[in-house]
């Protein structure tokens, strides 16, 4: 097993009681406070529901098609390959550091506490933004099911003023529900997650089959562009936003390690299986949508995306039933993302690394859930939804910002891991065993090339997604702050974190005098 955290990670750790069977927390100086009740499928569900192909494909298909045309399909296998490289590195770390707050914990142990803290800080803020973005997805599917869900009236398109405002209303109501579930009990949360993921997988498979059997054209259409002014390469760069947004959050199985039975064996496998399953299903959904769309040129596909395909190709009745399954997926996805953010806050607070750490690290003994983090994440995500009232362009700005922050946080793990490999100070420990007495997951001799490619891919996509393209983020003009929203938000996050770290250091120095 890997070495324990740096000495300053937990300045005065309490003496932990005997760990439960399969728990390795003693070794890291932590008490077993969260209830260890999640099995392998629940662990898989945590990662799959965060990715949530139905939520994200339905939410961002229109964006990818609008800027890339049919050829944007090929960004899907490219992004999947890149993310599998990252996931392979994470799977190796999950087998050695089975601790909540995975990104923060892994980065801290591979580098130092300060660098790891910033990785965790960027990750948790990004997760809060993902919660808000996931909740906004309801607008893509609920009004097409029933016009009564357009509470504020007017145009239901999420890019229209009334649609954007209504998305914020629906999203806020959803956040109230997911926050409540995140407070009740982790077993209740797990049951909802498993049922939701099962329904999502069944629904996704059914949608794929129906779309492919209602094809209007051949797969050769995927080699066509929409005549974007930026050319083929530019179309692919922007078209990759859809795949990039979908295939994040597979690290959630690592986030839930302290609540998972046999985490050394389970977490690495579910990280890879959740991403693999989501990648396959999502790719088929995108392909099916392109093949079954009644028209590729009438503008509906670039405006309403997959919702338009389902209701137009499969009929209103069946289309609405399938859209109802998408609603379930969105609810479960929002719940899963909020849970992951809660575990990150809990992990950092447990180390005394956040304001109000005592409150944020408190676990309800009866429920096995940290209550305060759930409330904090819910309130902050709801506050972000208010941006949707100001302008429809906030939808894409919020969505892209959360992707960039997660990609950057991932690189703050693969980067230090690569440095350790190059220095020869990282040991894959192929002789170590998991709970079943089998060798821990290891990349072996493939570790270095996989790590190099994972880091290069992550940095490239971070720059690609954050690049302030006016035609993407401010198409109507006059809102420069949306064009630069991702850069400004990320800079503000880092600046706020640096200010807090400086204040904390000053306060410690003053108390020591």
């Amino acid at each position: 097993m890997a070495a324990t955290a740096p000495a300053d990670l937990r300045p005065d750790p309490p003496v932990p009681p005997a760990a439960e069977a399969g728990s390795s927390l003693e070794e890291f100086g932590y008490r077993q406070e969260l209830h260890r009740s999640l099995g392998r499928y629940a662990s898989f569900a945590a990662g799959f529901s965060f990715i949530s192909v139905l939520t994200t494909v339905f939410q961002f298909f229109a964006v990818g098609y609008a800027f890339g045309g049919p050829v944007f399909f090929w960004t899907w296998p490219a992004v999947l390959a890149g993310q599998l490289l990252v996931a392979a590195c994470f799977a190796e770390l999950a087998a050695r550091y089975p601790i909540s707050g995975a990104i923060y914990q892994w980065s801290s142990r591979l580098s130092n506490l300060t660098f790891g803290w910033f990785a965790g800080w960027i990750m948790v803020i990004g997760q809060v933004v993902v919660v808000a973005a996931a909740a906004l997805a309801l607008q893509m599917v609920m009004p097409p099911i029933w016009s009564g869900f357009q509470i504020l009236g007017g145009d239901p398109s999420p890019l229209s003023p009334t649609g954007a405002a209504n998305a914020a209303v629906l999203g806020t109501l959803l956040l109230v529900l997911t926050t409540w579930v995140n407070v009740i009990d982790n077993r209740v949360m797990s049951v909802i997650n498993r049922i939701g993921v099962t329904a999502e997988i069944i629904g996704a498979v059914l949608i794929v089959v129906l779309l492919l059997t209602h094809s209007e054209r051949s797969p050769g259409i995927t080699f066509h562009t929409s005549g974007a002014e930026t050319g083929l390469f530019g179309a692919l760069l922007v078209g990759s936003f859809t795949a990039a947004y979908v295939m994040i959050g597979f690290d959630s199985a690592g986030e839930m390690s302290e609540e998972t039975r046999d985490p050394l064996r389970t977490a690495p496998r579910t990280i890879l299986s959740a991403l693999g399953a989501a990648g396959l299903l999502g790719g088929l959904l995108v392909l099916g949508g392109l093949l079954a769309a009644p028209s590729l040129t009438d503008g509906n596909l670039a405006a309403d995306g997959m919702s338009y395909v389902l209701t137009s190709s499969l009929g209103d009745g069946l289309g609405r039933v399938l859209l109802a399954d998408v609603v379930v997926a969105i609810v479960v996805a929002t719940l899963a993302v909020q849970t992951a953010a809660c575990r990150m806050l809990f992990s950092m607070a447990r180390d005394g690394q956040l304001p109000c750490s005592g409150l944020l690290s408190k676990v309800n003994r009866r429920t096995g859930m940290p209550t305060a983090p759930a409330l904090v994440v819910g309130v902050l995500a709801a506050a972000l939804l208010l941006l949707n009232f100001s302008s429809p362009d906030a939808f894409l700005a919020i969505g892209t910002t959360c992707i960039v922050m997660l990609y950057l946080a991932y690189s703050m793990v693969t980067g230090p891991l690569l440095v350790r490999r190059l220095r020869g100070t990282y040991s894959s420990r192929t002789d170590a065993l998991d709970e079943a007495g089998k060798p821990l997951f290891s990349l072996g001799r493939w570790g270095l090339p996989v790590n190099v490619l994972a880091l290069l891919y992550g940095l490239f996509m971070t720059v690609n997604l954050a690049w302030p393209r006016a035609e993407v983020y401010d198409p109507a003009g006059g809102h420069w702050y949306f064009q630069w929203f991702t850069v400004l938000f990320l800079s503000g996050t880092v600046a706020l974190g640096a200010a807090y770290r400086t204040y904390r250091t000053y306060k410690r120095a003053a108390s020591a005098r």
Side-chain angles (χ1 to χ4, degrees), residues 482-504:
F482 280 126
Q483 180 182 344
W484 291 89
F485 184 84
T486 298
V487 176
L488 293 172
F489 192 92
L490 180 58
S491 300
T493 298
V494 174
L496 182 61
Y500 171 70
R501 296 289 295 181
T502 301
Y503 167 75
R504 192 167 178 268

Side-chain angles (χ1 to χ4, degrees), residues 203-215 284-285 314:
V205 171
L206 181 59
I207 291 173
V208 167
V209 171
L210 290 172
L211 290 179
L212 292 180
T213 55
H214 286 74
S215 295
L284 291 174
L285 278 171
L314 306 181

Side-chain angles (χ1 to χ4, degrees), residues 207-277:
I207 291 173
V208 167
V209 171
L210 290 172
L211 290 179
L212 292 180
T213 55
H214 286 74
S215 295
E216 298 284 342
R217 56 195 62 85
S218 72
I221 194 66
T222 58
F223 292 99
H224 293 200
T225 68
S226 59
E229 295 180 3
T230 52
L232 177 60
F233 185 66
L236 290 174
L237 288 179
V238 180
S240 67
F241 284 22
T242 300
Y245 182 77
V246 174
M247 287 179 273
I248 55 174
F250 46 83
D251 55 296
S252 292
E255 296 281 3
M256 305 297 288
S257 288
E258 289 184 32
E259 296 157 84
T260 303
R261 296 189 292 270
D262 300 332
L264 305 183
R265 182 169 181 77
T266 299
R269 287 161 176 76
T270 51
I271 286 175
L272 292 169
S273 61
L275 177 59

Side-chain angles (χ1 to χ4, degrees), residues 41-311:
Y41 187 68
S43 178
F44 166 84
F48 189 92
S49 57
F50 192 126
I51 300 171
S52 188
V53 290
L54 287 185
T55 300
T56 45
V57 168
F58 273 76
Q59 188 175 18
F60 274 82
F61 180 97
V63 174
Y65 185 81
F67 289 100
V71 77
F72 97 95
F73 165 78
W74 293 106
T75 64
W76 194 276
V79 171
L80 175 58
Q83 289 296 66
L84 281 172
L85 295 171
V86 177
C89 293
F90 284 6
E92 193 172 66
L93 292 171
R96 288 150 184 83
Y97 304 105
I99 317 172
S100 291
I103 299 299
Y104 156 69
Q105 296 286 352
W106 297 342
S107 185
S108 295
R109 287 167 166 77
L110 293 169
S111 55
N112 56 62
L113 178 58
T114 299
F115 189 85
W117 186 90
F118 274 100
W121 174 249
I122 292 172
M123 182 70 181
V124 75
I125 298 299
Q127 287 173 327
V128 171
V129 182
V130 176
V131 174
L136 287 175
L138 284 179
Q139 184 63 25
M140 296 294 294
V141 292
M142 292 189 73
I145 293 175
W146 178 48
S147 59
F149 288 126
Q150 184 62 30
I151 301 171
L152 300 182
D155 186 355
S157 170
L159 298 181
S160 69
T162 54
N166 196 70
V169 173
L170 294 177
T172 301
L173 293 175
L174 175 56
L175 288 174
V176 172
L177 172 64
T178 57
T179 300
W180 177 67
V181 173
N182 257 303
V183 170
I184 300 177
D185 192 297
N186 77 336
R187 288 169 296 185
V188 174
M189 180 269 295
S190 176
V191 169
I192 293 175
N193 222 12
R194 282 178 288 167
I195 293 174
V197 164
T198 302
E200 179 174 6
I201 292 174
I202 294 173
V205 171
L206 181 59
I207 291 173
V208 167
V209 171
L210 290 172
L211 290 179
L212 292 180
T213 55
H214 286 74
S215 295
E216 298 284 342
R217 56 195 62 85
S218 72
I221 194 66
T222 58
F223 292 99
H224 293 200
T225 68
S226 59
E229 295 180 3
T230 52
L232 177 60
F233 185 66
L236 290 174
L237 288 179
V238 180
S240 67
F241 284 22
T242 300
Y245 182 77
V246 174
M247 287 179 273
I248 55 174
F250 46 83
D251 55 296
S252 292
E255 296 281 3
M256 305 297 288
S257 288
E258 289 184 32
E259 296 157 84
T260 303
R261 296 189 292 270
D262 300 332
L264 305 183
R265 182 169 181 77
T266 299
R269 287 161 176 76
T270 51
I271 286 175
L272 292 169
S273 61
L275 177 59
L280 176 61
L281 276 176
L284 291 174
L285 278 171
V286 171
L287 179 61
L290 291 171
L291 300 186
S295 173
L296 299 180
T297 58
D298 62 4
N300 287 316
L301 200 57
D304 300 322
M306 290 291 289
S307 297
Y308 155 72
V309 178
L310 252 63
T311 54

